[in-house]
């Protein structure tokens, strides 16, 4: 499953939907941005969609319950440090409980130090503008 936290207008979700993911899920706090994302999905040509399921959820990512599937979680620096810590705690519970593989894809990793303190995540690769972490 591909999960974009702080998915905004859904641009990354539209791109992810064109890949063969089991599901593509966006979580956006702003109702206005969530509605724009839904509109953007509606304009996506059906023949381009390869994901089995695509959805956008209007809600607080800090309270999101991750699916019990292998995960690719995308962040475009969407949170403050306290919110990111809560998200990581929820993600850890899901990954440890389910034993699934998880990749955390962090674009513009301003708060990488918060993630670096998580012993259950290990660095996979990085460059100036992005970092990828893996668990287990």
């Amino acid at each position: 499953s591909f999960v974009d936290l702080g998915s905004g207008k859904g641009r990354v979700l539209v791109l992810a939907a064109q890949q063969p993911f089991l599901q593509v899920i966006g979580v956006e706090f702003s109702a206005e941005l969530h509605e724009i994302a839904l509109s953007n999905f509606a304009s996506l040509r059906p023949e381009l969609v390869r994901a089995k399921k695509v959805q956008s959820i209007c809600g607080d990512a800090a309270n999101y319950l991750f699916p019990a599937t292998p995960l690719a979680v995308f962040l475009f620096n969407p949170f403050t440090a306290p919110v990111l810590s809560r998200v990581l705690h929820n993600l850890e519970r899901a990954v440890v409980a389910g034993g699934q593989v998880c990749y955390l894809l962090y674009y513009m990793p301003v708060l990488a130090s918060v993630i670096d303190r998580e012993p259950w995540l290990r660095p996979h690769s990085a460059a100036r503008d992005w970092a990828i972490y893996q668990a287990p």
Side-chain angles (χ1 to χ4, degrees):
S1 298
F2 182 93
V3 180
D4 181 2
L5 300 175
S7 55
K9 297 177 183 178
R11 180 171 188 234
V12 170
L13 298 176
V14 167
L15 294 172
Q18 296 175 51
Q19 303 306 315
F21 287 108
L22 176 65
Q23 54 189 338
V24 173
I25 304 164
V27 181
E28 175 53 51
F29 188 76
S30 165
E32 181 181 348
L33 294 178
H34 167 72
E35 289 300 322
I36 293 169
L38 293 177
S39 176
N40 287 336
F41 293 152
S43 67
L44 184 61
R45 293 193 336 241
E47 66 271 15
L48 295 178
V49 177
R50 294 176 60 201
K52 292 188 192 253
K53 181 179 179 183
V54 180
Q55 66 178 335
S56 180
I57 298 167
C58 187
D60 187 345
N63 298 322
Y64 177 69
L65 300 176
F66 292 89
T69 63
L71 293 167
V73 178
F74 180 78
L75 305 171
F76 187 159
N77 194 37
F79 311 121
T80 61
V83 174
L84 180 57
S85 292
R86 287 179 53 202
V87 166
L88 292 172
H89 176 73
N90 291 340
L91 182 58
E92 178 185 21
R93 282 193 323 210
V95 169
V96 170
Q100 72 262 31
V101 172
C102 175
Y103 289 93
L104 181 66
L105 317 165
Y106 189 14
Y107 186 65
M108 302 309 270
V110 174
L111 297 174
S113 62
V114 174
I115 298 172
D116 291 338
R117 291 192 297 261
E118 296 291 330
W120 63 279
L121 282 169
R122 68 178 191 271
H124 179 279
S125 54
R128 183 176 57 88
D129 292 340
W130 55 268
I132 300 174
Y133 299 85
Q134 181 180 356

